[in-house]
Amino acid sequence: MVPLSITQERRKRILIVEDNIALRFTLAEWLRSLKYTVFEATSADEAIVLLESPLEVDLVVTDVQMPGKKDGIELLRYIQNSLPAVKVIVVSGDVHEVLKGEKVPFLKKPYDLEEMASNIAKLLTGSN
Amino acid sequence: MNDPSPQHQDTILVVEDEILVRTSIAQYLRDCGYRVIEAGNADDAMVMLNKADVHIDILFTDIEMPGSMDGFALCQWVRRNMPDMQILLTGSNHKAAHAAANLCEEGPQLKKPYAPEQLLDQIRRLRATKR
């Protein structure tokens, strides 16, 4: 594979925010096999650094409980306030009351990769 | 760039705590046809190294990192337990890089900041010694 040329269509860009390296790698590889460009962050703090860089992320998949100054809910609030065009999917082993009533898709761990892919495709359809 | 594609998809474990450095180098290597596993510290790297279903050809690690292990300790562990794995080191501390040369008989190391092309060149040279 050669570096992306400007003549190729821009692939959708997904940022996975997950501190568990095995889970992150499995999801990242799955999404790369579906032809997405995938970036990885090990914490919400790292995710914000990437979101403030020129990477132009289209969608963020974030865990809730992670080490660092911010958790996934705070990352979600940051994106809603500062980057409203960026779509978000929240994943967690626990159900979070704070997310009830929100339009943000939530997948409980362990989630099915096909279900994740279908949620991502739905959110990215029609967004440019 | 002349034929940047590896012969088959080699897997590189990139261990780097600086997120912007890790992301840009990992993406560059993927664009060049490598499969890349990203770890933010040596402890996470150990998780992937110990996974029986994941084959890693090259460990590319920063020397100075937070966590219970630094890049040296990680390389020492790999040398003892996975002698066939190839290792590339990077770091900004000259003294550390010198000591790293003594640790790894293959010796390649990149002083930070390095250009992605320099890393690609080192990887190709390293893989050529295996073929």
Side-chain angles (χ1 to χ4, degrees):
Chain A
M1 194 195 300
V2 295
L4 193 66
S5 120
I6 53 167
T7 57
Q8 287 176 281
E9 191 186 344
R10 178 187 175 286
R11 289 182 178 189
K12 294 291 185 187
R13 297 173 183 183
I14 299 172
L15 170 60
I16 301 174
V17 193
E18 167 66 64
D19 59 317
N20 181 314
I21 187 169
L23 284 182
R24 189 177 71 239
F25 180 66
T26 301
L27 178 58
E29 285 292 277
W30 166 252
L31 295 176
R32 286 185 189 113
S33 76
L34 299 177
K35 307 297 177 201
Y36 291 108
T37 295
V38 182
F39 305 116
E40 302 178 37
T42 67
S43 66
D45 305 307
E46 280 193 356
I48 289 173
V49 173
L50 289 181
L51 289 166
E52 289 180 346
S53 78
L55 287 180
E56 295 180 357
V57 171
D58 298 300
L59 183 146
V60 174
V61 177
T62 184
D63 189 15
V64 173
Q65 284 159 312
M66 288 177 292
K69 290 182 198 142
K70 287 187 164 62
D71 66 11
I73 303 293
E74 288 171 283
L75 175 63
L76 170 67
R77 299 293 177 235
Y78 164 83
I79 294 169
Q80 287 172 329
N81 291 328
S82 308
L83 302 161
V86 176
K87 316 285 185 196
V88 182
I89 294 175
V90 177
V91 299
S92 177
D94 305 308
V95 174
H96 296 271
E97 290 297 322
V98 69
L99 290 173
K100 285 188 176 164
E102 297 239 7
K103 284 182 181 170
V104 179
F106 173 79
L107 293 183
K108 193 165 185 314
K109 285 183 180 175
Y111 50 80
D112 177 62
L113 287 175
E114 295 281 1
E115 190 188 359
M116 173 64 80
S118 135
N119 271 275
I120 288 172
K122 213 181 293 172
L123 281 175
L124 291 178
T125 300
S127 69
N128 292 304
Chain B
M1 199 187 306
N2 297 323
D3 184 25
S5 305
Q7 297 293 310
H8 63 93
Q9 200 178 32
D10 289 336
T11 299
I12 304 172
L13 173 58
V14 174
V15 194
E16 169 63 64
D17 59 310
E18 291 179 54
I19 178 67
L20 290 175
V21 175
R22 187 175 76 237
T23 300
S24 60
I25 206 66
Q27 202 52 39
Y28 174 79
L29 293 174
R30 284 187 195 107
D31 287 344
C32 291
Y34 294 94
R35 182 176 184 236
V36 179
I37 302 171
E38 295 183 44
N41 56 51
D43 301 297
D44 274 1
M46 287 291 289
V47 172
M48 296 310 281
L49 287 164
N50 281 308
K51 278 180 82 74
D53 57 341
V54 177
H55 175 81
I56 296 164
D57 298 290
I58 295 181
L59 167 69
F60 174 56
T61 182
D62 191 11
I63 294 164
E64 304 99 11
M65 278 183 303
S68 67
M69 243 182 171
D70 64 7
F72 278 137
L74 180 64
C75 290
Q76 281 170 331
W77 187 90
V78 168
R79 275 278 167 270
R80 268 199 312 273
N81 297 284
M82 299 172 167
D84 289 340
M85 190 173 296
Q86 295 184 295
I87 297 176
L88 269 168
L89 284 154
T90 185
S92 50
N93 184 321
H94 181 71
K95 218 169 147 185
H98 184 71
N102 295 330
L103 173 71
C104 301
E105 61 272 20
E106 284 151 0
Q109 57 197 270
L110 283 172
K111 193 170 182 320
K112 279 186 169 181
Y114 55 85
E117 295 80 8
Q118 284 177 279
L119 173 60
L120 183 63
D121 184 55
Q122 291 270 29
I123 289 169
R124 284 177 178 166
R125 284 169 196 237
L126 207 52
R127 294 309 286 157
T129 64
K130 284 268 174 179
R131 295 194 174 105

